[in-house]
Amino acid sequence: MESKSNYRVGITEKQVAFFRENGFLSIQRITTDEELESLKTTYDELFRRRAGEEQGLYYDLGAPRGHKGREVLPQVLGPDIHFPNLRQTLYYRNALELSSKLLGIEAASLNQAGLMIMQPARYGCETPWHQDEAYWNPEDILNSLSVWLSLDAATVESGCMQFIPGSNKQGVRWHRHIDNNPLIHGLMTDDVDPSAAIACPVPAGGATFHSPRTLHYTAPNTTGQSRRAYILVCSGPTSKREKVAHRPWQKEERDALAKAGIEVKVF
Ligand code: NI
């Protein structure tokens, strides 16, 4: 048996084929119990510090920028800026190896960017249906996926990931900002049939993978336990579209921020 510090996760051809067909995959474990405990400590410290708030790297994804109320969906962008050791974790390494197989791109050509999204106990709001690509540069053709590690047991009630199978093969839907408020960074689409959703509960230390176009959702956290997700976006080289995609919700947000006098360096 391999030592814990060399913990590796395998993936079958069948899982790769499932991911490419459906746009998502879940696995029961991506790191060790020991590392999970240390990740939880780092995670809680980052949220306690509101790490990077002045640089626009910490904010509430589900409520207007700069609001003073209780947070419904706080997130930390670039946690490894504060704790570079995160890049040396088994989680990073396994996420890289698995992403390489799922995307069919050499690991050496992949970049990894981290973010943490927390759904507080009994107060975490839903993450409405959306496709991640709606947030991205409309000039780019993406070659990426997101790895979503849950530090807590994720159930439907606590906000596990739910996906629409096959949506990865379709276009980017029309999106709008939550509450039609462009000061809320979170996007949503109404162009979805939630009855087709597949929920992917995972134990603590389990992970899901999804493509930039896979429609996904998490329900509000109605449990007494926070739902801490640590996401790694693994990206291969992008190429440029012939025609820039039409995503006016991005300009709406920039305009609303400028009007409100809120400077945001990172989106
Ligand atoms: Ni998303």
Side-chain angles (χ1 to χ4, degrees), residues 127 130 132 135 210 216:
T127 317
H130 69 280
D132 292 342
Y135 288 96
H210 67 272
H216 56 286

Side-chain angles (χ1 to χ4, degrees), residues 157-217:
E157 296 74 26
S158 75
C160 71
M161 289 287 263
Q162 303 191 34
F163 301 103
I164 304 290
S167 51
N168 55 309
K169 294 186 170 174
Q170 299 163 7
V172 175
R173 314 282 168 103
W174 187 261
H175 281 68
R176 60 187 177 88
H177 290 272
I178 294 171
D179 291 347
N180 288 317
N181 182 348
L183 289 176
I184 301 178
H185 185 61
L187 293 172
M188 59 180 288
T189 183
D190 303 302
D191 187 8
V192 60
D193 172 13
S195 70
I198 306 283
C200 290
V202 285
T208 64
F209 300 78
H210 67 272
S211 294
R213 290 199 178 175
T214 309
L215 279 158
H216 56 286
Y217 167 86

